[in-house]
Amino acid sequence: MLAPRSLRKASVPPSLLSDPSPGSLQPTRLAIQVRVHSTLPLSKTLNPRALRLRLVRFPISQVNAAGSSCSAYLASGCRVYKIEIAMEGEMLSKGKESLLIPINAEVITSSVVDRCPHRSEIQSVVLAEGEGDGCLILGTVDSYGHLIVSRLDTVADGPPIQYHLVIVVSEKEVGLGCVLVRCINLRLWYPSSFSFGHCMPQVNESGSMLAIAEGSQLSIWDLRVSNNGGCVHRISGPIGGIIYSVCSSPSGPIAVGGTDRTVTIYDPRRWSALSRWVGCSKYEITGLSFSSVDESFIYVQGVDYEITCGLWKGNERAFSFRGDSNWLGFSKCANTDVVAGWCESGSVFVADVRQDCLSVIG
């Protein structure tokens, strides 16, 4: 059983950013990095306007054993901003229906990240660990499909190393599967999100299966084959609805959610539904992420200002927390459950979730 350890609320200084740009329906303009003394590798996602982009080759953040601060990277307009949030201590209070009540957190430092020379609004930002100590990889993509990958040296000073990649796919705003790995030419209908599959029985090669949300369908693609363009299976979703988010679990199951406000979990062995969590969100679902601590739990982000964590096998809500306005960004560290959301008001909410010791003993 999962138990929240703390929920903190920090405000972006108005002197740094007073009026965030609106962004798209699926907010992925937030990346977080939690610092500690001994690191654990983690991983993360990004989105060109309507489509989610994932860095699968790198871990996304580093979490330390006694995390004392959390770095939040925020994209607004053509620029990226960074704030450092204090994370010391464990304080938590709850309201009705297991709703978490945040405590105010101090913003230690704030600055502009001078690494992303975009000419249009940034729609997604992603953070990954690079090679060597103190090296981070920052990826940003704008509304024209221009992707910039930069190296941030947090220890040594020096000129940034940048890689520019321009993505052009017909008239629709689409993306591709990996950063600087290979270009994938897929014939897609109306893509809104995708995720690389893990532990799929059909393949032994990691990262060769791709699950894509196309309108009301979930399509499965094998990047090693050319028959039918590589599409190996299609699953019909809600009639007249749209799937906005898809994510995969390291053990195999794939989750989708969208306008029907339902999280559906599919079994990759038979492509049949394992579970449906109906009405888990009050509004359309635009973000999903399996728990890294216990994969039977999933985080659900609604289009409004609420994030819910629940047991998808039993359709049971564990807890939830709300922002003070609509989300502009949603982020979860890989291999640990540190979840964050950035609101239109400028507030950043960070939840630290751990395994409940009593349930483990039981």
Side-chain angles (χ1 to χ4, degrees):
M1 190 71 178
L2 296 184
R5 175 190 174 198
S6 65
L7 176 63
R8 292 174 170 84
K9 174 186 175 181
S11 297
V12 178
S15 58
L16 179 71
L17 178 62
S18 59
D19 189 15
S21 58
S24 64
L25 178 66
Q26 296 162 275
T28 57
R29 297 191 293 155
L30 169 68
I32 57 173
Q33 179 200 17
V34 185
R35 294 175 176 253
V36 256
H37 299 293
S38 60
T39 61
L40 293 173
L42 307 177
S43 98
K44 156 122 213 139
T45 111
L46 94 66
N47 158 21
R49 193 135 188 168
L51 182 63
R52 209 155 282 191
L53 204 65
R54 185 174 295 270
L55 287 181
V56 293
R57 293 173 57 87
F58 309 106
I60 17 165
S61 39
Q62 61 182 57
V63 174
N64 306 3
S68 59
S69 67
C70 170
S71 298
Y73 291 79
L74 319 167
S76 177
C78 302
R79 311 184 80 174
V80 175
Y81 305 86
K82 175 187 175 182
I83 63 172
E84 194 85 9
I85 304 171
M87 293 284 287
E88 294 180 347
E90 297 185 19
M91 295 182 64
L92 183 68
S93 58
K94 291 185 178 182
K96 296 180 179 179
E97 298 179 354
S98 300
L99 181 67
L100 305 184
I101 300 176
I103 60 172
N104 292 326
E106 176 189 2
V107 175
I108 303 172
T109 60
S110 62
S111 60
V112 177
V113 181
D114 187 19
R115 294 292 188 273
C116 313
H118 287 276
R119 297 183 180 180
S120 62
E121 186 185 40
I122 298 174
Q123 298 298 326
S124 285
V125 58
V126 66
L127 192 65
E129 285 184 351
E131 297 180 357
D133 296 335
C135 179
L136 298 176
I137 304 297
L138 178 70
T140 53
V141 62
D142 60 29
S143 55
Y144 287 149
H146 291 207
L147 172 66
I148 298 177
V149 180
S150 306
R151 188 184 71 184
L152 306 178
D153 288 322
T154 59
V155 178
D157 294 330
I161 297 179
Q162 297 183 341
Y163 308 89
H164 295 250
L165 178 62
V166 178
I167 309 169
V168 180
V169 185
S170 69
E171 298 178 349
K172 294 185 178 180
E173 296 154 356
V174 190
L176 66 157
C178 297
V179 175
L180 300 178
V181 177
R182 60 172 155 170
C183 184
I184 307 166
N185 184 15
L186 306 178
R187 296 176 184 240
L188 305 176
W189 292 354
Y190 184 71
S192 57
S193 178
F194 68 76
S195 174
F196 281 93
H198 305 282
C199 298
M200 289 191 175
Q202 296 88 344
V203 295
N204 295 322
E205 181 182 349
S206 176
S208 64
M209 297 295 287
L210 190 62
I212 303 180
E214 298 183 69
S216 62
Q217 290 190 348
L218 175 66
S219 59
I220 309 299
W221 303 75
D222 188 341
L223 306 183
R224 306 167 305 163
V225 302
S226 58
N227 294 338
N228 197 24
C231 183
V232 295
H233 198 77
R234 287 187 180 273
I235 302 172
S236 296
I239 299 176
I242 298 176
I243 298 175
Y244 284 136
S245 182
V246 57
C247 71
S248 60
S249 166
S251 62
I254 295 176
V256 299
T259 56
D260 62 348
R261 303 182 297 115
T262 297
V263 173
T264 304
I265 312 294
Y266 290 102
D267 183 356
R269 295 170 297 181
R270 303 179 181 86
W271 296 121
S272 59
L274 286 173
S275 174
R276 284 188 174 90
W277 188 5
V278 179
C280 57
S281 175
K282 293 181 180 179
Y283 298 94
E284 294 92 334
I285 296 171
T286 53
L288 291 171
S289 182
F290 282 98
S291 168
S292 301
V293 178
D294 186 343
E295 293 179 10
S296 60
F297 287 82
I298 191 168
Y299 294 93
V300 181
Q301 177 225 342
V303 75
D304 55 346
Y305 52 87
E306 186 170 11
I307 293 175
T308 300
C309 176
L311 189 67
W312 58 264
K313 291 182 179 179
N315 300 345
E316 178 183 349
R317 178 190 295 250
F319 61 87
S320 64
F321 66 91
R322 295 173 182 170
D324 50 21
S325 56
N326 289 347
W327 298 119
L328 289 179
F330 167 68
S331 175
K332 180 190 132 352
C333 289
N335 296 346
T336 192
D337 282 17
V338 175
V339 183
W342 173 37
C343 297
E344 291 176 343
S345 64
S347 301
V348 177
F349 293 80
V350 183
D352 187 2
V353 183
R354 305 292 176 89
Q355 186 81 40
D356 189 349
C357 296
L358 293 179
S359 66
V360 173
I361 296 174

